[in-house]
């Protein structure tokens, strides 16, 4: 019997006990690939966790690897740094990845249900362990806590654990977000280049005023709660890793807000580095210089985005719309709408987001990376 079943024209896993709510088909895989490329572009590289240049990772494990695109990007990244002898292993419940060996990558796929522990690997086997958006697969309470312990078992001493997540509930970033403290120059320059906003505990947010996004937030919260999945994993990953400080050190975090389109307060000049009186004159001058250089292809006004910066925001919005589309059966059930009512809501959402600048008040997607080194 096939492990898949068709519902509403989309292919899902037949196992109803598996909490993963998304389909296993080409449109969803395309969305996941776009999200992987988006996170890499915003964060600056496929690997945020530091490593010793004299002792780079030799064996990398990607959990819930899907198509294997992330491993392919990691291979290109390490190869570009001159590290050509890195092997990659992907693990997932169903084989969806291409044979990356045909691309010249030292690659192996292992089919395994992450709910079943231990994982089929030896102690101290890997130098780098990476997972992306695993919050949509496994509950934080219980499963993920056990999985982190298992990840530490298969990591070598000195190996890095890196977790990448994105929140599924959308919030509004308020005007004049303060600069994140202790941000590295590299991270700040990346934020400037992509016109994204580094986040920290005091970053000001508000509940979205967009009625369509408000409804989506309510429904996605219900859908994920019913499956014991987390709608806002970016708020929980750090605390989960802090529980492992007996086994992890060099804990690090990068959290970023990606705006979903043009934002009113950016157009009004809020956030213009020349107005940042908390920075020194030399820092303001340097920031303004970077801004002019990065926007030389735009019309020169503050708030005008280059083609690349605009593409990042459009991609973020597109992946959210695609997520809603992939979750349609569950969101429709949570909304209580019949098909005709859902179709009207969907049409209104498309007009609002793509024609009426429905994210103009600062609606954003929150993403992040967290890492630690095994003692």
């Amino acid at each position: 019997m096939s492990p898949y079943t068709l519902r509403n024209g989309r292919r899902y896993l037949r196992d109803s006990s598996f909490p993963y709510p998304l389909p296993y088909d080409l449109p969803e895989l395309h969305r996941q690939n776009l999200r992987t490329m988006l996170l890499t572009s915003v964060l600056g590289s496929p690997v945020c966790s530091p490593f010793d240049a004299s002792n780079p990772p030799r064996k990398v494990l990607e959990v819930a690897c899907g198509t294997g695109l992330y491993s392919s990007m990691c291979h290109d990244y390490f190869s570009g740094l001159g590290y050509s002898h890195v092997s990659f292993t992907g693990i997932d419940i169903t084989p969806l990845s291409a044979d990356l060996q045909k691309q010249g990558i030292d690659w192996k796929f292992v089919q395994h249900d992450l709910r079943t522990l231990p994982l089929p690997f030896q102690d101290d086997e890997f130098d780098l362990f990476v997972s992306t958006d695993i919050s949509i697969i496994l509950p934080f309470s219980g499963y993920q806590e056990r999985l982190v312990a298992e990840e530490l078992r298969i990591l070598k001493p000195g190996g890095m654990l890196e977790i990448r997540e994105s929140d599924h509930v959308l919030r509004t970033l308020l005007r004049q977000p303060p600069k994140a403290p202790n941000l590295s120059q590299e991270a700040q320059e990346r934020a400037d280049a992509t016109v994204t906003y580094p986040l920290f505990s005091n970053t000001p947010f508000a509940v979205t005023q967009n009625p369509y996004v408000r409804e989506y937030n309510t429904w996605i919260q219900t859908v994920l709660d019913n499956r014991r999945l987390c709608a806002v994993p970016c708020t929980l990953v750090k605390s989960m890793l802090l529980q492992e400080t007996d086994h992890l050190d060099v804990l690090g975090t990068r959290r970023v807000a990606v705006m979903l389109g043009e934002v009113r307060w950016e157009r009004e000049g809020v956030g213009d580095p020349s107005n940042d009186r908390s920075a020194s004159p030399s820092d303001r001058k340097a920031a303004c210089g970077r801004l002019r250089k990065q926007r030389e292809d735009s019309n020169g006004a503050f708030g005008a985005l280059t083609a690349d910066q605009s593409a990042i925001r459009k991609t973020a919005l597109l992946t959210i719309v695609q997520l809603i589309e992939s979750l349609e059966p569950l969101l429709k059930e949570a909304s209580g709408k019949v098909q005709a009512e859902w179709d009207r809501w969907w049409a209104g959402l498309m007009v609002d987001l793509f024609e009426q600048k429905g994210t103009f008040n600062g609606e954003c997607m929150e993403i992040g990376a967290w890492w630690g080194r095994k003692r």
Side-chain angles (χ1 to χ4, degrees):
M1 178 183 293
S2 169
Y4 304 108
T5 184
L6 288 177
R7 295 199 301 270
N8 294 71
R10 304 293 296 268
R11 187 177 73 164
Y12 294 83
L13 272 183
R14 188 180 298 275
D15 183 359
S16 60
S17 69
F18 194 51
Y20 183 67
L22 294 167
Y24 282 79
D25 57 15
L26 286 177
E28 172 55 23
L29 294 177
H30 175 66
R31 183 196 71 83
Q32 293 175 18
N33 285 346
L34 279 179
R35 184 65 67 86
T36 296
M37 291 186 287
L38 175 68
L39 264 66
T40 301
S41 178
V42 169
L43 295 173
S45 75
V47 180
C48 287
S49 49
F51 59 89
D52 186 349
S54 64
N55 186 29
R58 298 289 182 179
K59 296 190 69 175
V60 178
L61 176 64
E62 180 188 0
V63 170
C65 62
T67 64
L69 175 64
Y70 176 82
S71 287
S72 178
M73 296 176 73
C74 273
H75 166 78
D76 293 343
Y77 172 71
F78 286 124
S79 295
L81 295 174
Y83 309 127
S84 57
H85 301 293
V86 182
S87 68
F88 296 86
T89 299
I91 185 171
D92 211 328
I93 193 171
T94 187
L96 297 171
S97 63
D99 183 0
L100 299 185
Q101 291 186 4
K102 294 180 179 179
Q103 302 176 25
I105 301 173
D106 186 351
W107 164 260
K108 179 175 70 173
F109 173 77
V110 176
Q111 185 171 359
H112 185 81
D113 186 339
L114 295 177
R115 295 173 297 176
T116 303
L117 300 177
L119 298 177
F121 304 112
Q122 299 298 315
D123 294 356
D124 305 335
E125 184 170 344
F126 295 96
D127 302 293
L128 175 61
F129 176 104
V130 181
S131 67
T132 301
D133 284 338
I134 203 170
S135 63
I136 200 79
I137 301 173
L138 296 173
F140 261 89
S141 177
Y143 279 115
Q144 288 211 42
E145 293 168 352
R146 290 168 52 211
L147 183 60
V148 168
E150 181 66 5
E151 294 160 2
L152 291 171
R153 177 186 70 81
I154 62 179
L155 268 178
K156 296 178 181 178
M160 298 299 297
L161 166 67
E162 182 165 333
I163 298 174
R164 295 176 164 222
E165 283 290 351
S166 49
D167 282 351
H168 310 296
V169 168
L170 306 178
R171 297 192 290 178
T172 296
L173 183 64
L174 295 181
R175 299 163 63 97
Q176 296 178 311
K179 183 177 294 185
N182 304 318
L183 194 66
S184 70
Q185 180 179 348
E186 180 183 2
Q188 185 59 61
E189 289 177 351
R190 192 64 195 170
D192 293 340
T194 55
V195 195
T196 53
Y197 295 88
L199 304 177
F200 69 112
S201 58
N202 290 333
T203 301
F205 284 99
V207 175
T208 176
Q209 297 304 302
N210 183 300
Y212 290 99
V213 177
R214 258 201 328 267
E215 289 179 311
Y216 157 74
N217 282 345
T218 299
W219 302 336
I220 189 67
Q221 185 77 60
T222 299
V223 167
L224 297 182
D225 282 350
N226 288 343
R227 292 171 177 253
R228 297 177 55 222
L229 299 173
C230 182
V232 286
C234 291
T235 64
L236 298 179
V237 176
K238 184 176 181 178
S239 60
M240 181 175 68
L241 293 182
L242 286 173
Q243 296 177 27
E244 301 291 343
T245 51
D246 288 345
H247 309 287
L248 284 173
D249 60 13
V250 194
L251 294 174
T253 301
R254 287 272 304 281
R255 288 187 62 190
V256 179
V258 183
M259 313 312 291
L260 301 180
E262 293 185 358
V263 179
R264 177 181 290 112
W265 45 261
E266 287 180 331
R267 282 290 185 180
E268 294 169 351
V270 175
D272 185 336
S274 64
N275 296 330
D276 183 5
R277 300 308 168 190
S278 64
S280 68
S282 61
D283 287 344
R284 290 201 301 271
K285 182 178 179 180
C288 288
R290 290 196 301 269
L291 192 64
R292 283 194 298 272
K293 184 176 185 299
Q294 292 150 8
R295 296 181 178 177
E296 60 186 6
D297 294 331
S298 68
N299 62 17
F302 184 81
L305 303 175
T306 66
D308 287 345
Q309 293 162 351
S310 180
I312 286 174
R313 297 188 179 191
K314 290 177 180 178
T315 301
L317 179 60
L318 177 60
T319 62
I320 289 168
V321 169
Q322 290 173 325
L323 178 66
I324 296 173
E325 195 170 24
S326 288
L327 288 170
E328 177 183 331
L330 296 174
L331 293 175
K332 184 173 66 176
E333 180 182 358
S335 73
K337 296 181 183 296
V338 299
Q339 188 63 50
E341 293 172 326
W342 176 267
D343 291 343
R344 285 194 295 272
W345 183 86
W346 175 260
L349 174 72
M350 294 298 98
V351 171
D352 180 83
L353 295 182
F354 292 105
E355 297 180 20
Q356 298 179 350
K357 297 183 177 180
T359 60
F360 202 48
N361 289 319
E363 283 77 8
C364 63
M365 179 173 70
E366 298 170 57
I367 66 172
W370 296 258
W371 59 88
R373 176 179 290 126
K374 181 179 176 181
R375 295 183 186 275

